[in-house]
Amino acid sequence: MPLFAGTVLAAACALSACDGKRGAPDTGPDGAARNPLVTISGEGAVVVPAWQPPQVFIAEGDEPKVIAEAETALRELRLFGGPRDAIPLLLELHARMPDDPRVAALRERANAALIAEGDAALARMDSDPEGLVRAHQVGEVGRTAAHEDPAMRAYLTRIDRADQSMQLDHRGERELQSGRLGDAPGERGALQYFREAMERRPGDARAAQGIAAVESALIRRAEEAASKNDFASAERWLQSAASVRPGMETVEDARQRIAMQRRARVRELLDQGMAASLRENGLPQARRTLSDMLRIAAPGDPAAAELRARIDQVAHYGLFRAGQVFTDALRAGTRGPPMVVVPHGGFRMGARDGEEGASPSERPLHYVRFDRGFAMSRTETTVGEFRRFVQATGYRSRAVRRGHSIVYAERTGNLVRRSGVDWRHDFEGKPARDDMPVLHVSARDAEAYAQWLSQQTGERYGLPSEAQFEYAERAGSEGSLAWASRVPPSFAGNLTGGHDRSPTGRRWRNAFEGYGDGFWGPSPAGRFPSNAFGLHDLSGNVSEWVADCWHEGYRRAPADGQPWVNPGCRQRVIRGGSWASAPAQVRSAWRLSTDGDTTNARLGFRLVREL
């Protein structure tokens, strides 16, 4: 049983018995009367009447004149609208003069023009609701006027296929509205109907829109699943959508949107987990949040690893994890110095037995343990960081108040006192760059800077203890030097090397033979590689203040790594080698006593912060 209006029409009227004469009955090949009406399916019924040739009167002997009239009408593309149009005239002429070659030629031209008009109507049916109706009107004329023409029969087939595609479009739209998309294997739904419509009529814009609508519906399902944190289902819907219109960017765009939504949700859970880990007794909640995160995070998502590490480390490091680099916010709106979280643990502090260059003040060797990690400045405090402190507070350092400091003089190769030198100057007394370690600062200047940072951040900053400094400098090493060999490895740090030369060609008299680092004087902070803890320049560049008062040895020294301080002490401890230190002063156990007001071109500082 035919399903489509055009098919019904073709079955009833493909071969017409009408001979084109006036008043001739509209019959089928068996002589039965043909139904005069054709219904086109659509949004409401559209009725196209069967075409009846209008009555045409031609007087005897006027045939040549009528032929000319038909040719004029054909040239003006007046094909069938009235009795004096080309096709009605040619039907009457053909009935009277069936063998006339002029009439046959004009009929052939008229048929071609009629088919061209019908094809134009079919071409605009996607944008013009009347296009298919007009195409059927043309087909009705063609069934009567040129049913024997193969080109006309092909055109009528195109109408049938257009009817079928429209019917399939309607079925697809109903399925789409009902939510039956046809995306599952073996399921017949909207997608199959739209694709069949495209097969019937390639370029069917309505079917193409329907296919795109199926894709959009699948994407909406993916987005709905993502909104419920069901990202596995969201990906399955996206994969289904990707098979609808392969090669289009729509699905990939949706995938990117959902990936952003997923990342945002994971970051939200990360924030919740981090906040829970900070609360007292909050670890169970943090672990539950991690479980939720693992259910929705993509494999290998670093946020999950970050929260897991935070939970694992919170007992030892509070907010942080070993090796983490962070900065604290200042009340002024800027950030504090980069800090590195030093891992908790223990080490043997002091000079080893038989250590060359060691002094009695570096003994006895004793064990120190840090039950909780601490944070240490990644590099020495820089000129720029100290400048920010001075500008914010108006602080006047010791060298500023005293009016001089100790600098290096290239002319003599000695350290000499020079007026007008303070923290703003380099080792030669010239203006210092902001990325250089700050020099010409006393222990009290360093402590004033630490106190300001504490006020700005609400955290506890201070100078490191001797134990913290040596533990950080060793970073797990046990030898006298921070590295395994007697000669520093390439780019170990800014040390005195046998290959170093000053601008005028001076050399060091006591230096590491075979080593050179390219600097005569301090290097910019952090220029050389970090040690195993992520800290720079602890063994070289500039020596540094620590918090301890000077003691002649370690008897009764704290075993927990806290500073060993006597109230009101003047003699302080310096740690770490400098750009002008002899090899013995680069040892990890080396320590030196000096007045806390000392300022010079070899001495700076860095800070630690409680976690």
Side-chain angles (χ1 to χ4, degrees):
M1 179 179 295
L3 295 177
F4 307 103
T7 305
V8 174
L9 183 64
C13 309
L15 297 174
S16 172
C18 176
D19 61 4
K21 295 181 180 179
R22 288 181 299 161
D26 187 15
T27 61
D30 57 357
R34 193 178 73 181
N35 189 342
L37 300 179
V38 177
T39 301
I40 308 299
S41 297
E43 291 84 349
V46 178
V47 178
V48 176
W51 186 69
Q52 296 291 339
Q55 292 185 354
V56 176
F57 177 77
I58 301 177
E60 292 292 336
D62 284 350
E63 288 83 0
K65 184 169 70 172
V66 173
I67 290 173
E69 183 182 358
E71 186 171 14
T72 298
L74 180 59
R75 187 166 54 251
E76 295 174 355
L77 293 179
R78 290 186 287 105
L79 299 181
F80 60 87
R84 308 311 294 180
D85 288 338
I87 291 176
L89 292 175
L90 290 171
L91 283 174
E92 185 66 25
L93 288 170
H94 175 67
R96 294 189 182 193
M97 309 163 62
D99 298 323
D100 189 289
R102 294 173 300 171
V103 174
L106 287 174
R107 287 191 69 200
E108 184 175 346
R109 286 173 53 194
N111 291 344
L114 187 64
I115 292 171
E117 181 177 340
D119 282 332
L122 286 176
R124 67 175 183 270
M125 64 177 285
D126 290 319
S127 59
D128 181 3
E130 299 299 319
L132 185 57
V133 174
R134 183 60 177 175
H136 268 286
Q137 291 172 343
V138 169
E140 285 301 296
V141 175
R143 293 179 199 279
T144 298
H147 64 270
E148 77 285 354
D149 186 349
M152 181 57 70
R153 289 199 293 272
Y155 168 71
L156 294 174
T157 298
R158 290 195 290 277
I159 292 180
D160 287 345
R161 294 182 73 84
D163 284 339
Q164 294 167 14
S165 73
M166 178 172 284
Q167 189 78 341
L168 288 165
D169 287 341
H170 296 159
R171 290 289 301 274
E173 288 163 359
R174 287 196 296 271
E175 295 294 293
L176 181 64
Q177 187 174 11
S178 300
R180 294 185 289 272
L181 304 183
D183 57 294
E187 178 187 12
R188 183 171 177 81
L191 183 61
Q192 286 68 36
Y193 287 117
F194 289 133
R195 283 177 171 167
E196 289 177 17
M198 292 289 283
E199 291 174 2
R200 296 294 193 282
R201 186 168 68 92
D204 183 341
R206 194 165 181 173
Q209 291 172 356
I211 291 172
V214 171
E215 179 190 67
S216 296
L218 291 169
I219 290 174
R220 281 196 300 275
R221 290 182 181 181
E223 292 171 339
E224 289 169 0
S227 70
K228 300 173 183 176
N229 293 329
D230 186 359
F231 293 99
S233 295
E235 179 57 29
R236 288 194 293 272
W237 287 122
L238 288 176
Q239 289 176 359
S240 295
S243 67
V244 174
R245 296 195 302 167
M248 299 296 289
E249 297 181 357
T250 320
V251 174
E252 187 56 34
D253 290 344
R255 182 173 278 112
Q256 293 299 322
R257 291 195 303 273
I258 290 175
M260 291 178 61
Q261 182 178 347
R262 187 180 198 175
R263 287 193 295 271
R265 179 57 180 150
V266 168
R267 296 302 301 182
E268 181 183 353
L269 288 172
L270 174 62
D271 292 342
Q272 292 175 6
M274 292 294 190
S277 71
L278 299 180
R279 294 194 295 268
E280 187 175 359
N281 301 320
L283 280 182
Q285 178 60 47
R287 291 190 177 98
R288 287 192 292 271
T289 302
L290 175 61
S291 178
D292 293 340
M293 180 189 294
L294 291 173
R295 281 196 293 271
I296 68 172
D301 192 310
E306 184 177 352
L307 181 54
R308 182 185 288 112
R310 175 60 58 82
I311 292 171
D312 291 343
Q313 297 296 321
V314 69
H316 294 297
Y317 305 106
L319 295 175
F320 306 99
R321 64 178 182 274
Q324 182 177 348
V325 179
F326 69 94
T327 60
D328 285 323
L330 306 186
R331 293 176 182 173
T334 54
R335 309 292 300 187
M339 308 295 290
V340 179
V341 178
V342 178
H344 74 289
F347 78 115
R348 293 189 304 157
M349 181 176 177
R352 275 53 179 164
D353 292 341
E355 183 169 319
E356 184 179 351
S359 70
S361 68
E362 299 167 7
R363 295 189 174 95
L365 188 66
H366 60 291
Y367 189 76
V368 175
R369 177 166 184 81
F370 300 96
D371 289 330
R372 189 173 178 85
F374 58 91
M376 178 175 274
S377 301
R378 185 165 57 180
T379 68
E380 311 96 320
T381 300
T382 64
V383 173
E385 289 167 344
F386 199 80
R387 185 191 309 280
R388 183 171 52 180
F389 155 61
V390 172
Q391 290 175 342
T393 63
Y395 179 80
R396 300 180 74 241
S397 70
R398 176 63 176 168
V400 170
R401 289 183 282 111
R402 189 168 52 199
H404 64 79
S405 188
I406 305 299
V407 300
Y408 169 77
E410 173 67 16
R411 186 175 63 83
T412 63
N414 296 321
L415 294 173
V416 300
R417 191 173 88 169
R418 182 171 297 169
S419 298
V421 174
D422 54 45
W423 63 267
R424 292 167 290 195
H425 299 90
D426 67 7
F427 76 114
E428 295 181 297
K430 300 175 182 176
R433 289 169 23 188
D434 277 357
D435 62 348
M436 297 297 291
V438 67
L439 303 173
H440 313 295
V441 286
S442 69
R444 292 176 179 80
D445 295 335
E447 289 167 343
Y449 173 67
Q451 184 179 7
W452 174 74
L453 271 183
S454 299
Q455 293 169 346
Q456 283 286 305
T457 62
E459 306 295 342
R460 293 187 63 178
Y461 282 84
L463 288 172
S465 69
E466 276 200 85
Q468 287 174 321
F469 193 99
E470 185 172 333
Y471 176 67
E473 181 178 2
R474 288 185 180 279
S477 66
E478 280 288 333
S480 63
L481 299 172
W483 47 87
S485 59
R486 290 182 60 84
V487 177
S490 178
F491 304 110
N494 186 7
L495 314 171
T496 54
H499 296 325
D500 290 336
R501 298 290 184 274
S502 76
T504 61
R506 292 185 182 279
R507 302 172 58 184
W508 300 112
R509 283 196 293 269
N510 184 12
F512 288 104
E513 294 299 327
Y515 182 76
D517 52 52
F519 286 94
W520 190 274
S523 65
R527 174 63 59 89
F528 292 89
S530 66
N531 68 7
F533 286 171
L535 301 163
H536 299 262
D537 302 326
L538 286 165
S539 297
N541 208 27
V542 298
S543 297
E544 302 181 32
W545 290 111
V546 293
D548 300 62
C549 295
W550 175 257
H551 296 84
E552 293 295 337
Y554 292 134
R555 295 191 186 279
R556 299 185 301 277
D560 60 359
Q562 293 300 306
W564 193 1
V565 177
N566 299 329
C569 70
R570 291 187 57 83
Q571 291 299 110
R572 302 291 290 270
V573 180
I574 293 174
R575 280 295 198 136
S578 76
W579 60 273
S581 295
Q585 297 171 328
V586 180
R587 293 177 302 109
S588 298
W590 177 79
R591 57 198 295 259
L592 179 68
S593 168
T594 191
D595 187 283
D597 285 337
T598 299
T599 65
N600 62 46
R602 301 193 302 179
L603 182 56
F605 72 95
R606 76 179 69 209
L607 300 181
V608 293
R609 173 199 184 279
E610 290 186 1
L611 298 180

